[in-house]
Amino acid sequence: MGTQNSKSCIFCEILEGKREGNIIYQDDKIFAFHDLRKYGAQEHILICPKEHIKDVNSLNKSHIDLLNHMHNKGIQLLNEINPNAEKRFGFHLKLKMIDHLHLHAAIGPFGFFGDKIFYGMGLRTIEEQIELLKKI
């Protein structure tokens, strides 16, 4: 279901079944799968829109409902794994390896490396992103 640039997008290929990726959830708007790298987290899930949206800089006010949906589903998926664990959600601004919007949803404990990945290195929380969009 991609749009621009989706032909060479790894996440679009996962969604279309052209590349291996264990999709653990999908509906008409989003899909989610386990990241191959946990980066020091107990669990690390990526939640992506089915529409090919390049990154957070491509978002506008009309995407707020989509972001809330991604966040709520992330909470549900992580609660199914460990309801009492510390959870973190965000978008990397500097460490972007894939040009397809994806929300990182992770469970701690995180340890030193996990703290750097899930708190530092240009991470913008979902709440911060939604607040920025409301101001547009």
Side-chain angles (χ1 to χ4, degrees), residues 8-67:
S8 62
C9 174
I10 293 170
F11 290 173
C12 289
E13 290 178 359
I14 290 171
L15 177 62
E16 295 165 0
K18 296 177 181 174
R19 184 180 286 259
E20 189 173 338
N22 184 21
I23 295 176
I24 58 172
Y25 175 82
Q26 67 176 309
D27 60 29
D28 61 327
K29 296 187 182 331
I30 63 171
F31 65 106
F33 56 95
H34 293 279
D35 194 325
L36 296 175
R37 296 171 200 87
K38 292 188 179 182
Y39 294 114
Q42 177 188 348
E43 193 55 72
H44 183 193
I45 295 172
L46 300 178
I47 303 162
C48 309
K50 285 186 170 181
E51 175 188 357
H52 184 88
I53 300 170
K54 183 178 177 184
D55 57 25
V56 293
N57 296 319
S58 302
L59 296 171
N60 60 53
K61 219 178 233 186
S62 73
H63 293 107
I64 291 173
D65 286 344
L66 173 66
L67 295 184

Side-chain angles (χ1 to χ4, degrees), residues 109-121:
F110 293 94
F112 177 78
F113 187 64
D115 272 344
K116 298 297 180 211
I117 295 291
F118 294 106
Y119 268 145
M121 300 180 90

Side-chain angles (χ1 to χ4, degrees), residues 71-132:
H71 186 216
N72 290 334
K73 184 47 66 175
I75 291 169
Q76 180 184 346
L77 291 170
L78 293 183
N79 279 340
E80 290 172 5
I81 297 167
N82 187 341
N84 300 316
E86 177 187 6
K87 296 164 187 65
R88 298 183 190 169
F89 300 90
F91 301 100
H92 283 292
L93 304 177
K94 295 180 183 175
L95 248 180
K96 292 187 330 173
M97 293 183 246
I98 310 248
D99 281 337
H100 187 125
L101 183 71
H102 54 284
L103 175 65
H104 293 266
I107 293 177
F110 293 94
F112 177 78
F113 187 64
D115 272 344
K116 298 297 180 211
I117 295 291
F118 294 106
Y119 268 145
M121 300 180 90
L123 184 83
R124 180 180 293 158
T125 68
I126 184 97
E127 296 87 359
E128 290 169 335
Q129 183 62 46
I130 289 171
E131 285 305 311
L132 283 172

